[in-house]
């Protein structure tokens, strides 16, 4: 459209919207884009100079200088459009400039007086008053985004809270990845296969800009988070396709994993330990924000499947009902979130201690799982996993956890010994400088404690609301209702590991 045919603020809203729609970048659906643009034009109808500035900026692709285009800031800073919430300057920057934009990548220009970061009562949404900067510390070049089917696990950024709709976002640019999505496979089929102790693959270096978890990544003698996982130089270029759809939960990434049916895995793999199984296979604590509500619920080993739901029936045996728990400090927001727990989730213990989750709720659940982190090629604790309704997915692998315990404990023990020798000046070599340099380089690994290893044996799961860099909640302790699951067999194995490789309390350097 030429500049001479460009509408002005005196034209009808429909004409202005039609003109602005012609300049959208195509990252959003036409319906969402139209709703967002209509909403903005209506807000600006009484501010003709700002509406003219918007029209000029968009129709000239920023070639002509333009003023701030402002809307009222909401209480939480986010704007709701078509049932989706997002930061307003990000929404419109994605519509008209960068369809694959992540919210942490915008920086306002110096002459913008009402930029989002300035915390004014009004927010400038002029896309040409912002510049795009690459988020530091995010390197996902090792990931592939080729999809093997519509039910594949999608690694995508999750810009919006999908509280009102459960549509699955599309895959976007690799550099925007933050929340890892796990859509359901065929709802009429039950997965019957499991990963059988897959080799650990090196993850992409973790993002240092924002950790998606309140568990910090565990150091293992290196500042590079990828050293937390064992490496394997070989890889299998193709992954076998199974008709039951289970593999569709996982990102189609090249790695050295092979698969066997569960019955074969259980038949040919001896127990990790001959120690008798614990009486209870897990214990579940329920939290609202950072406060535990009610007593910890223990699940007996005779009940391999337990349901955690939002109903008010008495809890017992294989069912933990959160609806009947009272909290005098409960807020209205927490109460609203609890109403959506519904049928909740099913936790299933398989074999010696692997754990699977089935989402029975009408809303997604968000899981912190070191096993899923490894499957997605991420550093431990670096991602939040969104599990959609009807999805059935493995979230914990006992053998992988046991290997990780042994590696971490051995690394910590060796690092502590080497650190002590380095401080004493007993490590020769050009890099020693009297033992100071080796001591500093080993201090991170020597600082691994028992609590760090216990985190490997714990799952955390939030109902309805997510957390992490893609949400206003940066920690699971800011979500309204969540559970912490302690896996007793894994903790039992950790106790054995610590008896064979005791870890001393970290000693500070002199």
């Amino acid at each position: 459209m030429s500049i001479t045919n460009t509408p002005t603020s005196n034209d009808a809203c429909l004409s202005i919207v039609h003109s602005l729609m012609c300049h959208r970048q195509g990252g959003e659906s036409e319906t969402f884009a139209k709703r967002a643009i209509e909403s903005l034009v209506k807000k600006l109808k009484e501010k003709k100079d700002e509406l003219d500035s918007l029209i000029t900026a968009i129709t000239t692709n920023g070639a002509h200088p333009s003023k701030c285009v402002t809307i009222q800031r909401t209480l939480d800073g986010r704007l709701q459009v078509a049932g989706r919430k997002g930061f307003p300057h990000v929404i419109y920057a994605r519509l008209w400039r960068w369809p694959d934009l992540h919210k942490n990548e915008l920086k306002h220009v110096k002459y913008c007086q009402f930029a989002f970061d300035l915390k004014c009562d009004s927010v400038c949404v002029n896309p040409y008053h912002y510049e795009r900067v690459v988020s530091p510390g995010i390197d996902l070049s090792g990931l592939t985004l080729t999809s093997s089917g519509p039910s594949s696990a999608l690694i995508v950024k999750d810009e919006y809270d999908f509280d009102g709709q459960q549509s699955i976002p599309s895959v976007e640019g690799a550099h925007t990845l933050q929340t890892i999505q796990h859509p359901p496979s065929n709802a009429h089929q039950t997965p019957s296969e499991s990963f059988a102790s897959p080799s650990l693959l090196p993850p992409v270096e973790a993002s240092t800009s924002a950790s998606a978890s309140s568990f910090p990544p565990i150091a293992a003698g290196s500042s590079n988070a990828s050293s937390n996982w064992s490496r394997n130089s070989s890889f299998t270029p193709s992954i076998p396709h199974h008709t039951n759809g289970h593999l569709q939960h996982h990102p189609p990434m090249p790695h050295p994993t092979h698969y066997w049916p569960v019955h074969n895995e259980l038949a040919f793999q001896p127990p990790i330990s001959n120690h008798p199984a614990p009486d209870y296979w897990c214990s579940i604590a329920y939290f609202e924000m950072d406060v535990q509500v009610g007593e910890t619920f223990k699940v007996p080993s005779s009940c391999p499947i337990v349901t955690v739901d939002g109903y008010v029936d008495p809890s017992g045996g294989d069912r933990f009902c959160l609806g009947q728990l009272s909290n005098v400090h409960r807020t209205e927001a927490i109460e609203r979130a609890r109403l959506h727990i519904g049928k909740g989730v099913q936790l299933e213990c398989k074999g010696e201690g692997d754990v699977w989750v089935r989402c029975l709720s009408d809303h997604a659940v968000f899981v912190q799982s070191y096993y899923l982190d490894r499957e997605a090629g991420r550093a431990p604790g670096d991602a939040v996993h969104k599990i959609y309704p009807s999805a059935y997915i493995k979230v914990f692998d006992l053998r992988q956890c046991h290997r990780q315990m042994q590696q971490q404990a051995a690394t910590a023990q060796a690092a502590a010994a080497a650190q002590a020798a380095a401080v004493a000046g007993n490590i020769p070599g050009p890099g020693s400088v009297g033992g100071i340099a080796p001591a500093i380089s080993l201090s991170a690994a020597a600082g691994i404690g028992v609590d760090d290893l216990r985190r490997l044996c714990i799952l955390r799961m939030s109902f309805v609301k997510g957390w992490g860099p893609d949400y206003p909640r940066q920690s699971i302790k800011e979500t309204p209702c969540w559970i912490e699951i302690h896996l007793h067999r894994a903790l039992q194995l950790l106790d054995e590991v610590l008896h064979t490789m005791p870890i001393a309390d970290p000693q500070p350097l002199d």
Side-chain angles (χ1 to χ4, degrees), residues 102-338:
H102 185 264
K103 67 182 180 182
N104 294 329
E105 295 178 334
L106 283 184
K107 177 183 178 182
H108 65 270
V109 295
K110 292 181 179 179
Y111 53 82
C112 183
Q113 299 176 350
F114 297 95
F116 181 83
D117 293 338
L118 298 180
K119 308 295 184 184
C120 301
D121 291 337
S122 296
V123 178
C124 179
V125 295
N126 186 337
Y128 292 94
H129 276 205
Y130 295 89
E131 297 172 343
R132 185 175 188 178
V133 294
V134 177
S135 300
I138 300 179
D139 177 14
L140 299 179
S141 57
L143 294 181
T144 60
L145 290 174
T146 55
S147 175
S148 58
S151 61
S152 296
L154 307 178
I155 307 185
V156 302
K157 74 169 186 59
D158 197 0
E159 177 66 53
Y160 304 99
D161 259 331
F162 287 83
D163 295 339
Q165 68 182 65
Q166 288 296 332
S167 60
I168 300 173
S170 59
V171 177
E172 296 182 351
H175 66 283
T176 66
L177 310 186
Q178 294 289 352
T179 302
I180 298 177
Q181 317 269 331
H182 300 272
S185 59
N186 191 321
H188 300 290
Q189 293 172 325
T190 301
S192 61
E193 297 192 356
S194 166
F195 296 106
S197 303
S199 303
L200 300 179
L201 69 138
V204 180
E205 187 168 334
S207 166
T208 57
S209 58
S211 174
S213 163
S214 57
F215 285 178
I218 303 171
S222 170
S223 59
N224 185 342
S226 64
S227 64
N228 289 312
W229 304 104
S230 297
R231 295 182 177 270
N232 191 321
S233 58
S234 63
F235 92 76
T236 305
S238 62
I239 298 177
H241 176 74
H242 294 277
T243 56
N244 65 9
H246 164 63
L247 290 183
Q248 303 303 313
H249 289 300
H250 299 268
M253 298 172 56
H255 58 72
T257 304
H258 302 279
Y259 306 90
W260 294 270
V262 166
H263 61 85
N264 285 349
E265 176 185 351
L266 300 181
F268 295 105
Q269 289 191 346
I272 298 173
S273 169
N274 292 323
H275 197 281
D279 293 334
Y280 300 91
W281 71 266
C282 78
S283 56
I284 307 170
Y286 169 64
F287 293 83
E288 292 177 358
M289 307 296 278
D290 60 349
V291 177
Q292 182 174 348
V293 177
E295 297 182 358
T296 299
F297 182 81
K298 294 184 177 180
V299 184
S301 295
S302 58
C303 299
I305 299 178
V306 60
T307 301
V308 183
D309 59 42
Y311 300 127
V312 296
D313 299 319
S315 298
D318 61 353
R319 189 176 177 198
F320 186 19
C321 297
L322 306 179
Q324 46 90 24
L325 299 176
S326 59
N327 177 10
V328 294
H329 302 294
R330 183 172 293 152
T331 64
E332 184 179 348
I334 294 174
E335 194 64 67
R336 284 199 306 270
R338 280 168 52 84

Side-chain angles (χ1 to χ4, degrees), residues 422-436:
V423 171
N426 293 333
I427 296 182
S432 63
V433 193
I436 301 301

